[in-house]
Amino acid sequence: MRTWTLSFGGILAPGKPMVFPRKNFRGCLENINFNGEDVIGLAKQQGPQILVTGTVAFACAHPQTVPATFLSAQSHLALPGSPGADAASVSFQFRTWNRAGLLLSWGTRPGSGGFFLALQDGRLHVGPRASPGQAQSGARTGVGLNDGQWHSVSVTSTWGHLSVMVDDDVASTVHTTVPVGVHPGDAYHFGGCPAHGSGSDCSRSLGPLGGFQGCLRLISIDGQEVDLISVQQGAVGNFSDLLIDTCGILDRCLPNYCEHEGTCSQTWTAFHCDCSSTGYTGATCHRSLYEPSCEAYKHLGHASGFYNIDPDGSGPLKPFQAFCNMTDVPWTVLQHNGSALTRVKGASLENPHRAVFQYTASAEQLLASVDRARHCQQELELHCRRSRLQDPRDGTALSWWAGRANETHTYWGGSFPGAHQCACGLERDCLDPQYGCNCDADRDEWTSDVGVLSHREHLPVTQIVITDADRPGSEAAYKLGPLQCQGDGSFWNSASFHTEASYLHFPTFHGELSADVSFFFKTTASSGVFLENLGITDFISLELRSPAEVAFSFDVGNGPCELTVQSPTPLSDNRWHLVRAERNVKEALLQVDLLPPSTRQAPEDGHRLLQLNSQLFVGGTAARQRGFLGCIRALQVNGRTLDLEGRAKVTPGVEPGCPGHCSTYGHLCLHGGQCRERHQGFSCDCELSAYTGPFCSSEISAYFGTGSSVTYNFQEYHSPSTNASSHAASFQGETTLTQETIAFSFRTVQAPSLLLYVDSFYKEYLSVILAKNGSLQIRYKLDTHQDPDVVNLNFRNMADGKLYHVNISREDGVVFVEVNQKTWRQVSLSSGTAFRAIKSLVLGRILEPGGHVDAETARAGARGFSGCLSALQFQRVAPLKAALLPGRSGRASVRGPVARSSCGAGEDAARERTHARAEYPGPVDEGEPIAGETRGDSAVIGGVIAVVMFFLLCLAAIAVRLYQQRNLYTPKEAPPESHGTNEAVLRRELSVQNAARGTQKEYFV
C-alpha cells in the first residue's frame, strides 16, 4: 500500500539531498483540517501519526492592530508630521477593491507644492501635486493592488527626492522628484481631500480622482506608529467619516454570482460581471445571446448559414455552432470528424475496427438539440465484399453501431429498432432473399446497404464497429453522414386559454438567486395574467396590464417591485409578441418584442433570495381571477421549456396548440410571396413570385448566350383562323390589360439588345430594348394604326456590364419607368390604353417578329440578348422561373444556351448563398460584371475551356489513383479520418461494378 506524508509549515525530507527555495513558515496557523481531521488537535494529543519538528507552541499571540475603515470617497484622516526633521517617512498597510482612489497627500499649504500617493488602475501612482489645470506626473509601481488583500507601502522623502516601496519588495521601489517647498512638518492627509482650508485646491489638482475607500492599518510616521485609538478619542489629528477599530471590507465576489464563467470584479460598494466571450449577457451573465434553434433564427428572417445555438437558453449548456439549412421547416446540421468514406481491411472479433465519432457539439448539447427537434436522421452507407453484418450460424452481430448513450444497435439505415436487418430486408428486395441485408449475402463483389437512421432516441451515432474483414478477399467500407434535425417542437409548444378561470399549473418555480422567463403570446383581450407563483410573502407575476402595457412584479423581501413596458401600438392585435423577464441579485429586466427594456437595480445589501412555495400558474391565478384569454407558446423558465400542450390536453378550458401565424410572420415572405399557415409555423408560397427560397428572397437568374431566347405563352387557342379577331376570339378567357407592372434586373455589354417583348393576337406589342447607344427604351404599340410610343432613358450607356434594376408600371395611358430606384421617367401614351389579347412574352431573340414590329425593335430582336437577366416579373408571371425550375408550367420554352446563374442576385440572395456555401471552402460567386466583350461568345468559349480542363484533371486524377491504389488502407482502431483520394477510388470501383451489374438500387457519387 502506498504511503505519503503531508507537511505543514515546512517540508521534512530526512536523508534526502533536497534544496527548497523558501524558508520554513514562521508565524501562526489556525484551524488546520484535513479530510475532517483536526491536525492541531492530534498534534496536541501527540498522536502517533503526527511528527512535530522544531519549536511549536500551541498558542497564537495576536498582535494588537487597530484598522480604520474609510467608508466613502469623502472619508479623511489628517495626522501631523514631525517638525524639524531633515527627512520624512511614512508607512502603512491598505486593502481595497477599488481600482482608484487617493491614499495620501502631503504638503497642502497653498504654494507649498507637495506630493500625492494614489491608486490608479490598481497601481500606485506617486508624484508631485499638480497645480489646477496641469497634468499629473510621477512614477507608478505595483500591480493588482485592488485585490482585497493587505498591501504595505513605505514612503521616504528627503529634500527634493521621494522613494516608494510596495509589499517590502525592493524591486518595486520607485523614485521621483518633489518640489523644494515640501516641509517635513506638514500634515499627512489620508483618504479624500480635507473638508476645509486648502481642500478646494486639493480637489482641483486631483481632478476626477476620488478619495480612498477601504481599510488602513499600522500607520507609522517618521518611525513612530500612530495610535488610532488616540485619534478616535481626539487626542491626535482629526478625521471624518471614518470607522476606527474595524475593517468593514466585504468580498462581494464570494460567492460568485456571475454565471456561465463570467468574471467577477468589485468595488467597495458593488460587484460587476464581465460577460465578454461567454455567449451570455446581463448583469450576472444569465441571459443567452443566442437563439435556441435554427427554427427560432428562421423566424427572425435569417438565411441559411452557420449560427450559434443555445438549446437551453440560460441553462448550464454552453452555446455551440451549427449549420442551419433554412427550408420551410429548417434543418440543423451537425458535422463530425468522420465524414469521409472509410475502407476497412483485416478487422476481426479479436482485432475489431472501431470508429469513434466526435461531433462539433458535446454529448449534452447534442442531446438537448435532438430532444427539441421534431425529427432527426443520419444517413449510413455500408459497402461490403465478403464482409457480413451477422454470423449466419447463430445470428451473432459481426458489425454494429452505438447510439447517444453508447448503447449497441444492430439495425441499419432504413430499418427500425429490433429489426436486426437493413432497408432491403423490410422491402423484401435484397440481392439474396435469404438474408435481411445485402452484405449478409457474403458475395465476392461489392454489395451495399444504404439508408437513413431516424429513431431519434438513438441518435446521434457515436461509434461504428466492424469485425468481419479479415478473410481472404474480405473488406468493408462505410460513411456516416452528419446529424440532421428538423424543426423545433419547443418553439411551437403552445396552449389556447378560452376562459378567465382556466389555467395550467406546474411545479414551483425555483429561481432563488436568478430567474428568467420568456414566452410568446397573442390575444385580442385587453388584460390578463400570464403567470404567477406565490410564496409566504415573496411572489413573482407577469401580466398584460392593459392593451399596450406588460407588467412584471415580484417581491424578494425588500417590498414589492414592478417594471412595466409601454408599447406605442396595442399588443392585443392577435399577433405573436415576445416577452422576456429576468430577475437576479443585481437587477430586474422586462422586455417586450424589440422595445427598449425596462430595468430596475436591486439594493446592494437587500434581500436576495426569491422564496416561493405554491405551484406555478400559467394563464391565470390561484384565485381564478383575471385569467388570460389567448395563446401562449414557447414558455421557457430558467432555460427549461414547459410542456404547455401536454398539460392542456388534460385541463378543461385550455386547448393544446394555437393556429394563426401569418399575421405575425407574413412580412418575412418577400417579393410577392404569399404566407401559408402550417400546423406549426408558416411557409412562403413563391409560386407567383420571380423569387424562390424559404422567404422568396433568392432571385431566379439566367445567363443568355448568343441567339438564345425564352418564350412564355399566356394563352393557348384551339382553332387557328385567318384573321386577328378570330384568333383572339378562340382563346379561353381573353387577357386584356389596362395596366401592368414589370420588374427585372439585367447585366450586359451588348447593344442593341432585346430585353423583353410582349405581343398580342391583335399585333399590339410592348418591347424593352437597349438601343445602339446603350440607352434603355420602352416601346408601346397599343394601336396598330399608329407608330409606337417610345420612353427613352438615355442618361447613360447601360451596356457597360453593370447590374441595373428596372421597374415599369403602366396605368391606362401613363407609363412610369424607374432605374436603380433613383432615375425615373413618366410619359403619357398616345397610341392607346388597352393591351388586348396578349399572346406571349419573349426574352432574348425574337424568332418570328412579324411585319408589324418597328425597325428598332426588329433590329434588337434579331440580335437578341447576351448577358444576365434576373428576377423578371410580368404581372403575376415569372417567365424565368417557369423556364428554369423543374416541375413548372409547360407554357415556357427555351431555345439556345440559357442556363441558371447567380449573375443578377440581389443582396438577400447573396446573403443566403453565402450562408449556404459556408460549409465549403473557397470564395462565393458574387457575379462580377462581364467586361471587354461585345458579343455572347464568351459563354461558348468558356464552356470549351471548362470541358478541356475537366478532361485533363480526370486524366491526372486517374494517374494518381493508379499509383496510390495499392497503398489504400485504414487503421483498425483510430478515429475516422478524411481520405479524399481513397474515397474517390472506392467510389469508382462501386460505380463501375454496379453499372456492370445493371441493378444499381443504391446511389453513388
Side-chain angles (χ1 to χ4, degrees):
M1 182 176 179
R2 187 176 180 180
T3 59
W4 45 271
T5 302
L6 182 65
S7 300
F8 297 93
I11 298 179
L12 180 64
K16 297 182 180 180
M18 300 180 69
V19 178
F20 301 102
R22 295 191 181 276
K23 299 178 180 179
N24 287 359
F25 174 78
R26 183 178 180 181
C28 189
L29 293 175
E30 294 181 335
N31 304 320
I32 302 177
N33 285 274
F34 179 73
N35 285 345
E37 294 285 349
D38 179 5
V39 176
I40 294 178
L42 292 173
K44 287 181 178 180
Q45 300 169 9
Q46 299 181 351
Q49 68 271 49
I50 301 295
L51 175 63
V52 178
T53 302
T55 303
V56 176
F58 295 104
C60 287
H62 296 281
Q64 185 68 28
T65 59
V66 179
T69 303
F70 289 67
L71 297 172
S72 69
Q74 288 73 43
S75 298
H76 174 256
L77 171 64
L79 296 175
S82 300
D86 293 333
S89 66
V90 60
S91 64
F92 58 90
Q93 292 183 357
F94 74 92
R95 63 186 300 197
T96 185
W97 298 114
N98 288 7
R99 295 176 57 84
L102 177 63
L103 275 165
L104 173 63
S105 59
W106 183 35
T108 58
R109 290 180 295 181
S112 68
F115 77 91
F116 74 94
L117 183 68
L119 272 177
Q120 291 185 347
D121 293 325
R123 305 189 68 193
L124 273 183
H125 184 193
V126 60
R129 284 182 50 222
S131 299
Q134 292 183 341
Q136 296 284 3
S137 62
R140 288 176 170 81
T141 184
V143 63
L145 300 179
N146 60 319
D147 58 1
Q149 303 298 314
W150 286 107
H151 295 280
S152 63
V153 180
S154 299
V155 182
T156 303
S157 172
T158 58
W159 290 103
H161 297 283
L162 191 71
S163 299
V164 177
M165 184 170 60
V166 178
D167 290 335
D168 297 324
D169 185 0
V170 176
S172 71
T173 304
V174 294
H175 305 274
T176 187
T177 302
V178 296
V180 177
V182 174
H183 300 281
D186 288 341
Y188 295 89
H189 296 272
F190 294 87
C193 293
H196 52 79
S198 58
S200 58
D201 294 334
C202 171
S203 299
R204 286 195 297 269
S205 67
L206 291 174
L209 187 66
F212 172 77
Q213 280 183 282
C215 300
L216 261 62
R217 70 180 185 184
L218 300 179
I219 302 174
S220 179
I221 297 177
D222 296 331
Q224 297 294 318
E225 186 171 341
V226 176
D227 182 4
L228 289 179
I229 298 297
S230 298
V231 174
Q232 184 182 39
Q233 295 171 351
V236 179
N238 61 80
F239 65 92
S240 65
D241 200 19
L242 231 64
L243 192 63
I244 296 179
D245 202 17
T246 185
C247 179
I249 192 170
L250 296 176
D251 190 346
R252 299 180 185 274
C253 286
L254 189 67
N256 185 1
Y257 294 114
C258 301
E259 303 178 49
H260 301 110
E261 300 180 1
T263 303
C264 182
S265 62
Q266 57 187 310
T267 63
W268 183 259
T269 57
F271 75 92
H272 306 277
C273 296
D274 181 2
C275 307
S276 58
S277 303
T278 66
Y280 298 85
T281 187
T284 60
C285 311
H286 179 79
R287 189 168 64 256
S288 180
L289 288 170
Y290 307 113
E291 298 298 325
S293 66
C294 292
E295 184 95 51
Y297 277 112
K298 179 198 170 181
H299 286 79
L300 292 175
H302 291 292
S304 297
F306 283 101
Y307 293 93
N308 287 313
I309 305 292
D310 194 342
D312 71 338
S314 60
L317 296 180
K318 293 181 179 180
F320 62 91
Q321 193 177 77
F323 184 82
C324 294
N325 184 12
M326 298 302 189
T327 57
D328 281 347
V329 181
W331 289 89
T332 303
V333 183
L334 289 162
Q335 297 287 349
H336 53 75
N337 62 334
S339 58
L341 182 66
T342 304
R343 202 166 189 168
V344 180
K345 290 183 179 181
S348 64
L349 284 170
E350 295 76 20
N351 189 23
H353 171 91
R354 185 184 305 273
V356 179
F357 299 95
Q358 301 292 333
Y359 290 80
T360 54
S362 69
E364 294 78 10
Q365 292 167 335
L366 289 170
L367 181 62
S369 294
V370 170
D371 288 344
R372 288 187 71 103
R374 289 152 55 183
H375 168 78
C376 290
Q377 64 182 45
Q378 265 186 292
E379 185 183 58
L380 178 58
E381 297 182 33
L382 288 174
H383 307 287
C384 312
R385 182 160 63 185
R386 293 187 54 79
S387 177
R388 301 157 298 180
L389 301 179
Q390 62 180 358
D391 193 323
R393 295 169 298 183
D394 55 8
T396 302
L398 299 177
S399 293
W400 59 89
W401 59 275
R404 63 163 71 171
N406 285 324
E407 75 283 5
T408 298
H409 301 288
T410 56
Y411 71 96
W412 300 93
S415 185
F416 56 85
H420 304 291
Q421 55 185 341
C422 305
C424 69
L426 294 180
E427 298 171 2
R428 298 186 179 182
D429 62 351
C430 293
L431 297 175
D432 189 333
Q434 299 181 64
Y435 302 100
C437 293
N438 289 323
C439 287
D440 286 331
D442 204 23
R443 297 197 173 192
D444 292 330
E445 68 272 8
W446 283 105
T447 60
S448 301
D449 289 297
V450 179
V452 172
L453 300 169
S454 58
H455 191 67
R456 192 178 64 170
E457 287 73 14
H458 292 165
L459 296 179
V461 177
T462 57
Q463 293 185 44
I464 291 178
V465 181
I466 296 175
T467 67
D468 188 23
D470 63 336
R471 294 177 294 154
S474 175
E475 59 181 320
Y478 62 87
K479 181 175 182 178
L480 179 67
L483 175 66
Q484 302 181 76
C485 291
Q486 190 176 40
D488 181 358
S490 299
F491 189 76
W492 296 110
N493 191 302
S494 59
S496 301
F497 299 83
H498 299 302
T499 68
E500 290 190 4
S502 60
Y503 61 82
L504 300 177
H505 60 87
F506 294 89
T508 304
F509 176 34
H510 293 289
E512 287 79 6
L513 292 173
S514 62
D516 73 281
V517 178
S518 66
F519 59 89
F520 292 87
F521 79 90
K522 70 172 185 172
T523 184
T524 57
S526 60
S527 63
V529 176
F530 297 126
L531 60 85
E532 180 184 81
N533 207 155
L534 306 176
I536 298 176
T537 57
D538 294 1
F539 71 91
I540 186 170
S541 173
L542 272 163
E543 65 176 306
L544 182 66
R545 181 71 55 79
S546 70
E549 182 183 32
V550 173
F552 174 36
S553 307
F554 62 91
D555 188 352
V556 295
N558 301 316
C561 179
E562 181 177 279
L563 290 81
T564 61
V565 170
Q566 293 279 348
S567 172
T569 58
L571 300 171
S572 55
D573 56 0
N574 204 31
R575 296 185 177 186
W576 288 113
H577 297 281
L578 175 61
V579 176
R580 300 178 189 269
E582 179 185 352
R583 177 264 155 193
N584 54 59
V585 298
K586 287 282 290 182
E587 68 176 13
L589 176 144
L590 174 65
Q591 186 172 22
V592 179
D593 295 331
L594 297 178
L595 296 173
S598 173
T599 59
R600 180 75 59 83
Q601 297 298 314
E604 289 294 343
D605 299 312
H607 296 284
R608 294 182 170 182
L609 293 180
L610 176 64
Q611 299 177 335
L612 307 174
N613 53 27
S614 75
Q615 291 182 317
L616 171 63
F617 295 92
V618 176
T621 65
R624 295 180 178 269
Q625 296 177 353
R626 300 182 298 117
F628 173 73
L629 295 175
C631 298
I632 296 177
R633 72 171 172 89
L635 174 58
Q636 275 200 323
V637 176
N638 272 359
R640 184 171 60 91
T641 301
L642 300 187
D643 185 9
L644 299 175
E645 293 184 352
R647 288 295 174 95
K649 291 177 181 178
V650 295
T651 303
V654 186
E655 183 180 352
C658 186
H661 308 296
C662 283
S663 60
T664 304
Y665 301 110
H667 70 280
L668 296 176
C669 298
L670 307 175
H671 303 112
Q674 300 297 309
C675 183
R676 305 297 184 199
E677 295 286 352
R678 301 171 67 98
H679 172 63
Q680 291 188 335
F682 76 103
S683 63
C684 294
D685 183 356
C686 309
E687 181 69 25
L688 301 178
S689 171
Y691 293 73
T692 187
F695 304 118
C696 306
S697 59
S698 298
E699 297 180 354
I700 302 295
S701 306
Y703 181 82
F704 285 69
T706 301
S708 59
S709 68
V710 170
T711 302
Y712 183 90
N713 294 307
F714 290 97
Q715 303 243 12
E716 297 178 2
Y717 58 90
H718 299 292
S719 55
S721 303
T722 58
N723 57 66
S725 61
S726 62
H727 271 281
S730 64
F731 292 50
Q732 292 182 337
E734 176 180 320
T735 302
T736 298
L737 301 177
T738 59
Q739 59 182 23
E740 65 269 345
T741 57
I742 307 167
F744 63 92
S745 302
F746 74 92
R747 186 201 306 269
T748 188
V749 293
Q750 175 182 296
S753 290
L754 186 133
L755 300 172
L756 178 145
Y757 174 76
V758 182
D759 66 346
S760 80
F761 287 97
Y762 290 101
K763 296 185 179 181
E764 300 168 354
Y765 65 87
L766 156 68
S767 66
V768 181
I769 67 172
L770 289 182
K772 188 174 181 179
N773 64 355
S775 64
L776 181 69
Q777 294 184 1
I778 296 91
R779 294 173 168 262
Y780 271 98
K781 186 171 183 178
L782 303 183
D783 187 337
T784 57
H785 302 293
Q786 295 186 25
D787 291 334
D789 291 298
V790 180
V791 181
N792 191 9
L793 281 82
N794 56 359
F795 68 97
R796 68 179 304 168
N797 176 9
M798 297 190 192
D800 58 359
K802 295 181 180 180
L803 186 66
Y804 292 94
H805 305 278
V806 180
N807 288 279
I808 304 170
S809 62
R810 178 182 71 92
E811 186 167 357
D812 295 327
V814 179
V815 177
F816 181 84
V817 183
E818 184 182 62
V819 178
N820 290 344
Q821 297 182 339
K822 57 184 179 181
T823 303
W824 61 275
R825 188 71 50 81
Q826 183 171 309
V827 175
S828 296
L829 303 181
S830 61
S831 63
T833 60
F835 197 176
R836 300 173 300 164
I838 61 172
K839 179 175 63 173
S840 62
L841 180 150
V842 177
L843 308 174
R845 186 181 180 189
I846 303 176
L847 301 178
E848 299 177 359
H852 62 287
V853 177
D854 67 273
E856 290 293 328
T857 299
R859 185 179 300 110
R863 289 291 307 275
F865 175 78
S866 178
C868 292
L869 277 175
S870 178
L872 195 146
Q873 184 100 32
F874 181 88
Q875 295 291 82
R876 303 181 73 180
V877 172
L880 290 178
K881 179 184 286 188
L884 298 178
L885 293 191
R888 296 293 176 179
S889 169
R891 295 179 182 272
S893 60
V894 178
R895 296 283 186 91
V898 178
R900 189 171 179 183
S901 169
S902 61
C903 56
E907 294 180 0
D908 290 336
R911 180 165 57 93
E912 286 200 4
R913 184 172 63 255
T914 301
H915 283 295
R917 285 185 169 183
E919 183 177 355
Y920 306 101
V924 176
D925 179 13
E926 295 295 338
E928 291 300 319
I930 303 169
E933 292 289 332
T934 58
R935 301 179 58 188
D937 299 331
S938 58
V940 178
I941 295 172
V944 172
I945 293 174
V947 170
V948 173
M949 292 298 296
F950 179 77
F951 179 73
L952 293 176
L953 288 172
C954 288
L955 288 179
I958 292 172
V960 173
R961 301 306 174 269
L962 291 175
Y963 176 77
Q964 293 180 338
Q965 185 172 2
R966 60 183 178 178
N967 295 322
L968 293 179
Y969 76 97
T970 300
K972 290 194 188 67
E973 293 196 20
E977 300 178 4
S978 176
H979 298 295
T981 56
N982 294 7
E983 179 169 352
V985 172
L986 184 54
R987 289 289 187 194
R988 188 175 299 107
E989 290 182 29
L990 295 170
S991 180
V992 170
Q993 180 178 293
N994 284 318
R997 184 187 303 150
T999 57
Q1000 187 176 358
K1001 287 179 289 186
E1002 298 80 22
Y1003 55 91
F1004 303 110
V1005 177

